């Protein structure tokens, strides 16, 4: 490709106390690429995702987004921890969608979407509202602008959460099991929105159990287990013709 | 059995169980209460006062100018002490939860000290501070920038009472606010951080507004409690309601009558606060219930139309801190 990868991970390690959750993750995500991460719970997928926007600190290895290290600055051969303001600025360029939506319950859908553009990016309210309405329209919720999160279904809440992340005009979107907390009949509407995003060229990393989505939408698929990447490749190859025994047994249970 | 659907049997009509025990208990309790009340009412009526009877005296002083001025001071003291308590309480709570161990420790020490000593002692302490400390000097070391103030002029009686009540309240409010902050799900903080919000923004815009729902009910209780606790300002000779009634009673010997006057006003004020608390809670309940519960006025109107009491509004159990008696 030649271009700077959007995400580059080299031998990333992360422990919680004595438990090693990530034991050397190497991967690259190119701009406009959609990568799906699958694997059993506890395999470290979500932790890795959270490391990318520095919600978790990595212990060893190198992790960079768009050519810049996450959480550190390198001068010579020394690393300097980034200050809060820098960390916040970098996070504001990465959108994240959570399993449990985590909408702000005391704000309406629109208020959820315009909060960060106004407070973090210092956009004018008029502009933020205008773009917020467009985004809610894009995720099919033009009529729910003034609804509070608890007046929305899970699928609607997750779509607001996606709009909220998009409002910051991120260069990368992280999805942490976005459909796992949804009733089966609501999964489709969220996946449709994500599919649309992928078609528009958004760079996305999606931790998911939706194999159909992984097969049809993603450019690459990573299977993680026990804190390492067991297998990676084109989604059709990995899903149809897994090379490792561990991948095979996992897929046989979920497919 | 699908064809049985639609054939609804007749509603059950049965003779209700007679709750004789309930009637007996109710009558006994009412009789005892009536007897006690009657005895006191008659005793006060029979008191020979300058106005003829005890109740005439109560009526005479109920709208007395001195009493009114006392009420004003009581309200002033309540509002200011709660303001000090809430502002310092929020600061102490945030300090307590700070990742900086010194901040957290200082806050713990403050709460430990001010909650662990009686308010009256604290009011007396500020009131008598000038006995040992004649002046207070604040400034930047090794520069001529120093402020000098005489303790007597800096801490008049009202200020002594305000300090005692406010600083003590801050310790209680700190615990209430802290409980509110930790009641907000951590996912909220993470979502806000992921959007690039810094610690201050997350606290101000996301966590504190949600913590309010947990903070407001006990704060209402604290305010009502404070309104009554201001009577301890008597110890610092602040002329609030209790001191005023005491002054009149000492002159006229109508002790019980004046206590009743004060009690009536305290009850009026706490009742107003109780109604106010209800509306404030309703305001901060936005987004937590699908529909807001009806206001007392709305419920009253509905009752007039339907002629029977509506079911009580679904109340979310407020997290009350064990509020110790002070």
């Amino acid at each position: 490709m030649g271009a700077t990868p959007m995400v580059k991970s080299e031998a990333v390690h992360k422990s919680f106390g004595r438990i090693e959750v990530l034991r050397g993750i190497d991967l690259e995500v190119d701009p406009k690429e959609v990568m799906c991460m699958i694997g059993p719970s506890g395999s470290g997928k979500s932790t890795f995702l959270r490391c990318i926007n520095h919600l978790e600190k990595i212990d060893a290895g190198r992790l960079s987004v768009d050519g810049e290290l996450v959480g550190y600055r390198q001068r010579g051969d020394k690393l300097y921890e980034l200050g809060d303001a820098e960390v916040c600025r970098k996070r504001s360029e990465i959108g994240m969608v959570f399993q449990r939506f985590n909408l702000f319950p005391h704000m309406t859908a629109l208020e959820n979407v315009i909060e960060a553009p106004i407070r973090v990016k210092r956009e004018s309210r008029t502009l933020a509202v205008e773009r917020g309405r467009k985004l809610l329209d894009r995720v099919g919720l033009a009529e729910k602008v003034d609804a509070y999160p608890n007046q929305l279904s899970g699928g609607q809440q997750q779509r607001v959460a996606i709009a909220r992340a998009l409002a910051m005009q991120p260069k990368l979107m992280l999805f942490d099991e976005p459909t796992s907390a949804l009733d089966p009949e609501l999964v489709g509407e969220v996946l449709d929105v994500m599919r649309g995003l992928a078609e528009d060229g958004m760079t996305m990393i999606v931790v998911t159990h939706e194999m159909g989505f992984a097969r049809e939408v993603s450019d690459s698929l990573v299977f993680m287990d026990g804190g390492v990447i067991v297998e990676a490749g084109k989604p059709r190859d990995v899903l149809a013709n897994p090379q490792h025994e561990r991948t095979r047994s996992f897929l046989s249970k979920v497919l | 059995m699908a064809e049985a659907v639609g054939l609804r049997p007749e509603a059950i009509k049965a003779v209700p169980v007679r709750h004789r025990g309930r009637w007996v208990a109710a009558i006994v309790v009412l009789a005892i209460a009536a007897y006690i009340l009657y005895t006191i009412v008659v005793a006060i009526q029979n008191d020979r006062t300058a106005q003829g009877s005890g109740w005439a005296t109560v009526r005479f002083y109920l709208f007395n100018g001195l009493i009114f001025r006392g009420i004003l001071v009581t309200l002033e003291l309540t509002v200011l002490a709660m303001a000090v308590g809430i502002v310092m309480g929020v600061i102490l709570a945030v300090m307590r939860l700070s990742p900086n161990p010194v901040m957290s420790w200082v806050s713990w020490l403050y709460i430990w000290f001010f909650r662990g000593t009686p308010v009256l002692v604290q009011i007396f302490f500020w009131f008598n501070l000038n006995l040992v400390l004649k002046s207070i000097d604040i400034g930047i070391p090794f520069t001529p920038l120093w402020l000098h103030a005489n303790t007597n002029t800096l801490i008049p009686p009202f200020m002594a009472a305000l300090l005692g009540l406010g600083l003590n309240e801050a310790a209680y409010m700190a615990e209430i606010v802290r409980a509110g902050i930790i009641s907000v799900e951590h996912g909220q903080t993470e979502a806000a951080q992921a959007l690039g919000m810094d610690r201050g923004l997350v606290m101000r815009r996301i966590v504190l507004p949600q913590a309010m729902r947990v903070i407001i009910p006990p704060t209402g209780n604290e305010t009502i409690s404070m309104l009554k606790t201001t009577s301890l300002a008597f110890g610092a000779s602040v002329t609030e309601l209790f001191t005023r009634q005491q002054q009149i009673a000492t002159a006229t010997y109508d002790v019980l009558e004046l206590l009743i006057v004060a009690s009536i006003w305290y009850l009026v004020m706490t009742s107003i606060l109780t109604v106010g608390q209800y509306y404030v809670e309703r305001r901060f309940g936005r987004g937590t219930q699908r529909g807001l519960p009806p206001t007392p006025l709305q419920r009253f109107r509905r009752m007039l139309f339907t002629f029977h009491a509506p079911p009580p509004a679904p109340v979310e159990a407020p997290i009350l801190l064990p509020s110790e008696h002070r």
Side-chain angles (χ1 to χ4, degrees), chain B residues 125-262:
Chain B
F125 178 87
W126 298 112
F127 186 58
N128 293 305
L129 192 63
N130 65 333
L131 293 180
V132 290
L133 193 66
K134 296 297 169 201
S135 69
I136 292 170
D137 298 279
I138 302 172
I140 305 160
F142 313 117
T143 65
L145 298 168
W146 281 83
L147 286 173
H148 174 88
N150 186 296
T151 315
N152 262 335
T153 49
L154 198 67
I155 313 180
F158 184 85
M159 187 54 91
L162 179 59
L163 280 174
L165 293 168
L167 297 187
N168 181 270
E169 187 56 37
Y172 284 88
M173 283 308 302
E175 289 295 275
I176 290 170
V177 173
R178 188 172 72 100
I181 290 175
I182 53 186
S183 77
V184 178
E185 203 197 334
H186 188 63
Q188 292 290 313
T189 303
E190 280 196 341
Q193 285 176 333
L195 287 165
M197 297 173 86
D198 61 41
R199 203 193 301 277
L201 263 184
V202 174
M203 193 49 88
R204 266 204 336 272
R205 297 287 307 169
I206 307 301
V207 177
L208 279 180
Q210 292 183 61
M212 278 307 192
R213 202 167 50 85
V214 172
I215 293 172
I216 291 288
T219 303
N221 293 347
E222 289 293 310
T223 310
I224 290 168
S225 166
M226 176 62 78
L227 189 92
K228 297 172 294 166
T229 314
T230 52
S231 57
L232 292 180
F234 175 64
S237 335
V238 176
T239 50
E240 44 67 65
L241 178 54
F242 183 80
T243 312
R244 284 299 188 193
Q245 69 79 26
Q246 195 68 15
Q247 285 172 345
I248 300 171
T250 327
T252 62
Y253 297 107
D254 299 328
V255 178
L256 227 57
E257 284 81 0
L258 265 306
L259 283 178
I260 289 173
V261 168

Side-chain angles (χ1 to χ4, degrees), chain B residues 1 23 40 47-48 60 109 120 142 163 175 288 317 326:
Chain B
M1 297 292 279
W23 282 101
I40 295 172
D47 190 13
R48 299 269 65 90
F60 184 78
L109 205 70
L120 190 55
F142 313 117
L163 280 174
E175 289 295 275
T288 58
R326 276 165 271 167

Side-chain angles (χ1 to χ4, degrees), chain B residues 80-132:
Chain B
L80 291 176
M82 281 311 291
V84 170
I86 290 170
V87 170
M88 280 192 64
V90 171
I91 295 171
L92 284 165
V94 172
M95 279 171 71
R96 186 89 176 81
L97 296 167
S98 157
N100 183 340
V102 177
M103 289 288 179
S104 165
W105 196 76
V106 166
S107 173
W108 183 89
L109 205 70
Y110 181 98
I111 294 166
W112 171 77
F113 182 81
F114 282 90
R115 233 173 31 160
T117 54
V119 200
L120 190 55
V121 172
Q122 290 173 31
I123 293 174
F124 265 62
F125 178 87
W126 298 112
F127 186 58
N128 293 305
L129 192 63
N130 65 333
L131 293 180
V132 290

